[in-house]
Amino acid sequence: MSKEPTSGRKRPARNKSGKPKKASELRGAPPSEKRRPEKKKSRPPKNDPVKITPGTGADPVREAVHKALVAFGRRPTNAENLLERFTSRDFKARDRAFFHELLYGTLRWRGRIDASYERFLSEPPDRLSSGVREALRLGVYQIMFMDRVPDHGAVNTSVYLAGQDKGRGARGLVNAVLRRVLREPLRPPKAIKDRLTIWESHPSWLVQRWITQLGPEATRARCEANNTEGPVVFRANPWQGSAARLADILGEGGIATEPGKVDPDSLWMKPKG
């Protein structure tokens, strides 16, 4: 018998039935076993806060504000940076407005807020964790300045946020302190320096400097002006039309305005009500 000519290529390995072996058989694995593709880990979006089930804790907006306040306490920065960093892409316009008011208000009135709750602490405030301290500040701001937020809502959400940081003990502390803030509201101090430092939430060194330079009454007026939110101002482009024409256009959309007090091309939006 003549032998078949050999070539440089090896013959494929065959199983008992004479068919070429599958790759799984060559590795010694059962033919039925299939290699499962590796699952890729999905990363949550950078700016999205943790979602909370309604009725069990804080809402996403308050939780985002709480995180922003904790970050500010560790490394102070411009509030606009916090707004951009901690607002979620899922927030609607109403959510963003609520976030803005909570964040800016808690930062603006920190002196009055701290004086409101610190008098009920049994230990120095510096011993509080940053998460518990900011939960207290957030709750006090809503109690003192936001009439449309129910008191129980302000207390319960702050209790939840503190518990996320330090557990049951922190929840009990925040609950007890905030309820005393409700029962015993802070009164403005009588001394002018204390009033402007605590009630108007200005640094003590700055108040003292202004009192020395301007006198008590001028300093009081300046501190109060600093805490007053500025009006919304529109400015007409002279190349496109006059301020009067812009006022008519805004009026058609239900926005009432009045002429600016300095710039003739500007319009001040009238507050509603």
Side-chain angles (χ1 to χ4, degrees), residues 67-78:
K67 290 178 179 179
L69 292 171
V70 171
F72 180 85
R74 292 172 179 168
R75 181 176 294 182
T77 184
N78 190 288

Side-chain angles (χ1 to χ4, degrees), residues 149-189:
V149 174
D151 291 336
H152 65 84
V155 173
N156 291 344
T157 52
S158 291
V159 168
Y160 173 84
L161 292 170
Q164 287 288 90
D165 184 66
K166 286 294 182 180
R168 175 180 288 185
R171 288 197 294 266
L173 170 67
V174 171
N175 182 61
V177 170
L178 291 182
R179 292 191 181 281
R180 290 201 66 182
V181 170
L182 280 167
R183 293 194 304 267
E184 305 173 43
L186 183 70
R187 304 297 179 189

